[in-house]
Every structure is written in structure tokens, then in C-alpha cells.
Amino acid sequence: MSLFWRIFGLNAVVLGTATALLLWAPVTVSVPVLLTEAVILVGGLVVMLVANAALLRWGLAPLDRLTKLMTTVDLLRPGQRLSAHGGGEIAELIRTFNAMLERLEQERATSSARVLLAQEAERRRIAQELHDEVGQSMTAILLSLKRAADQAGEPLRGDLHQVQEITRESLDEVRRLVRRLRPGVLDDLGLVSALTSLTHDFAAHTGLQVTRRFDTELPALTTEMELVFYRVAQESLTNVARHADAEGVIVALHRTGNSVVLSVTDDGCGIKAACEGAGIRGMRERALFIGARLDVTPAPRTGTQVRLTASLPRKP
């Protein structure tokens, strides 16, 4: 039944019922109208309006649900759909909207994949240039400073040694930047070793207690999946250091059924669901890239838990 005929039918039922009551009820209207007759007429009008409003609310309820979904839908949280039963304009509208969401989610996933791949390629290029150009230049400066310090007398030698230490610290910082931009251990030794190195550096620089819980035997993952897991763990630890005001964090990686789950749980002040910033949105983009699900929820006791769940790749 179309929307027009549905609304027309609902009003016809209400008006027909009112007409039948007027025809067969023993109530008459005097001139002038008596108080009891006015009360009966006004009461009947109120009942008729309430019944009409209730029926229209029932008939238009699918449109209300559709409007609510339109205003709250988030393409970074795929799978939000409305059920459409039967025929008519409303059901067809809901099916069309669901199909549009499907296309938008696919296009978003494709565009996000292109952006993330380009971003990783740019990270790799910058890391390579930092390693080859800046790193080698600073190494040459250190060697020159050492030769100059060995040949210089006091107090110039002490000043040169101080410059050496500053240059060495700068070189170490460049190397840390290179590892953050493109973790070579991820390519060479795999995800578990890369996460171990990441958490070790994080604990050393922040002073937080890091507990690692990694399964010893994990299934083989694609290069894209390993990179997404690493980047999500990296961003989660960065958020812990910046915002959580925590004392410790647990990083876990394990297999659950046909999925691999990464969780980063801190004991800090927690996060509100409405406070998702660019970092969490970026993690959702990466999760979408590999078809994974990202959940940011309060931890079981206190703090925040970031949980990334990805299905294992199908064997050919």
C-alpha cells in the first residue's frame, strides 16, 4: 500500500467511526447546545484526534527511523542498515537508502585505501631520506667533531665534546623518527617483534609500565594487516601518553577463533565516546582499510581499551 493510500485509509477509519457514532448513537444536539452535549462533542473530537495521531504515528514510524539514521550514520562504522519489509514507497525508500549506504561505504573504503597507501609510501620516502641524507651527514659531523676534539686543547676540547653529545642525541632522535615513520623491524622480523620494540621504546621514553601479552604462535597475516595493527598500536600508545594520565598499559595480541585481536588497555582517566578526535578517526580509517572493527570502550575497571578485531585472510 502506498503512503498516500495508507494515510487516506487511516483518516477514513477515524472519520468513518465518528460518522457511525453520530448516526447510531442516541445522542442529539440541541439549540442552543447544552453543557453535557458540548462535553460529549469535545470529548469525541479529542478521542478522534488522538486516534488519528496514533495511527499516523504508526504509519509514519519508518520515516522517523530513516531520518534518525540519516542524521547519525557514520561511514567509518559500516553495517548500519534499516530493515525494509513489504512494498510501498516507504519500503522502497529504505531499500534505496540502504543501497546508497552500501555504495558510499565501498567508495569510502576504496578512497581510504588509496590515501593510506599513499601516506605509507610518503612515510617510507621521508624515512629513507632522513636515514640516507640527514643520518649520514650527522654521522660525518660526529666523526669530524671527534677528530677536532682529539687535536684541540682545553677548554676547546670540552666544548667540542659537548657539541658531540648534542649531535649524538640529535642523531638518535632522527633514528627514532625513522623507526616511527617506517619500522624496519616490521618488514624484517614481523608484527610481534615490531610491537615488542615499539612498547619497549614507549616504556623507556614515557616511564609507564607496559605489559605485553602476545600469543607465541599467530597465523600468517598480510603485509597490510600487519601494518594496520602496528599503526593502531602506535596511535593508541601515543594517546595514552598524551591524554590518559595513566600509570600502566597492557598491549595484547592474540587469536580468537577466525580473527586476530589487538587490544591496548590503560588504567588512566578514561575517554568519552563523544570525544573521538583525529587520532581515533584515523585508526577507524585504517581498520576500514583491512575490513576490521575498531572498538574504543571504557576498560573493565578504569581507563580505556582500544580493541582492533580483524578476520584472518582466507586461504587460496
Side-chain angles (χ1 to χ4, degrees):
M1 184 182 297
S2 66
L3 180 61
F4 169 80
W5 287 111
R6 183 177 298 180
I7 295 177
F8 178 82
L10 295 175
N11 284 280
V13 169
V14 173
L15 294 176
T17 303
T19 302
L21 290 175
L22 289 176
L23 289 176
W24 288 294
V27 179
T28 58
V29 179
S30 304
V31 180
V33 180
L34 299 177
L35 179 60
T36 55
E37 295 173 345
V39 171
I40 292 174
L41 288 175
V42 172
L45 177 62
V46 170
V47 171
M48 185 172 62
L49 291 176
V50 170
N52 192 34
L55 291 174
L56 285 176
R57 173 67 67 181
W58 171 77
L60 298 178
L63 287 180
D64 292 337
R65 294 196 300 270
L66 181 61
T67 303
K68 183 178 180 181
L69 180 60
M70 285 180 175
T71 57
T72 59
V73 67
D74 186 355
L75 295 181
L76 292 180
R77 304 171 187 264
Q80 303 177 72
R81 300 291 186 271
L82 282 178
S83 59
H85 303 291
E89 288 99 333
I90 296 181
E92 185 62 28
L93 178 62
I94 292 175
R95 282 192 286 267
T96 303
F97 180 73
N98 289 338
M100 182 189 70
L101 275 183
E102 185 73 25
R103 291 195 303 271
L104 289 176
E105 288 175 357
Q106 292 177 358
E107 292 173 3
R108 180 62 181 267
T110 302
S111 61
S112 296
R114 288 196 295 265
V115 169
L116 292 175
L117 290 175
Q119 185 184 73
E120 289 299 330
E122 185 67 11
R123 284 172 177 260
R124 188 182 299 109
R125 184 188 66 81
I126 295 174
Q128 191 69 34
E129 290 185 0
L130 285 174
H131 180 271
D132 295 343
E133 302 295 334
V134 180
Q136 292 182 5
S137 298
M138 295 185 72
T139 302
I141 292 173
L142 275 175
L143 295 175
S144 299
L145 287 172
K146 184 179 184 304
R147 287 195 298 269
D150 292 341
Q151 298 173 3
E154 295 294 343
L156 181 60
R157 179 178 299 176
D159 294 337
L160 289 175
H161 282 312
Q162 185 177 2
V163 175
Q164 268 187 288
E165 290 302 317
I166 295 174
T167 306
R168 186 174 291 108
E169 291 176 0
S170 299
L171 180 59
D172 292 340
E173 184 63 28
V174 169
R175 288 170 177 169
R176 283 195 293 270
L177 287 174
V178 170
R179 288 197 299 269
R180 286 182 62 84
L181 287 170
R182 185 62 187 178
V185 67
L186 181 63
D187 298 327
D188 299 334
L189 301 178
L191 179 60
V192 173
S193 298
L195 290 178
T196 301
S197 176
L198 174 67
T199 53
H200 182 271
D201 291 343
F202 175 80
H205 286 90
T206 62
L208 298 179
Q209 180 180 359
V210 179
T211 302
R212 290 177 286 270
R213 297 174 181 173
F214 302 152
D215 283 357
T216 55
E217 295 183 2
L218 288 171
L221 302 176
T222 64
T223 303
E224 292 80 8
M225 292 179 69
E226 288 189 343
L227 185 58
V228 169
F229 273 101
Y230 182 85
R231 292 300 185 198
V232 169
Q234 188 179 50
E235 182 63 31
S236 299
L237 291 174
T238 301
N239 288 339
V240 170
R242 289 178 178 175
H243 310 296
D245 192 21
E247 296 181 357
V249 59
I250 300 174
V251 181
L253 182 68
H254 60 276
R255 177 174 181 173
T256 302
N258 198 37
S259 302
V260 176
V261 180
L262 168 73
S263 63
V264 180
T265 308
D266 65 75
D267 59 359
C269 58
I271 184 174
K272 295 181 180 179
C275 297
E276 292 190 359
I280 295 179
R281 302 286 292 181
M283 288 191 287
R284 293 196 184 280
E285 291 275 4
R286 294 184 180 278
L288 192 64
F289 175 41
I290 60 173
R293 187 180 76 251
L294 183 80
D295 299 308
V296 182
T297 58
R301 295 183 180 178
T302 182
T304 304
Q305 181 180 75
V306 177
R307 184 180 177 91
L308 179 66
T309 306
S311 299
L312 291 173
R314 295 181 179 179
K315 296 182 180 180

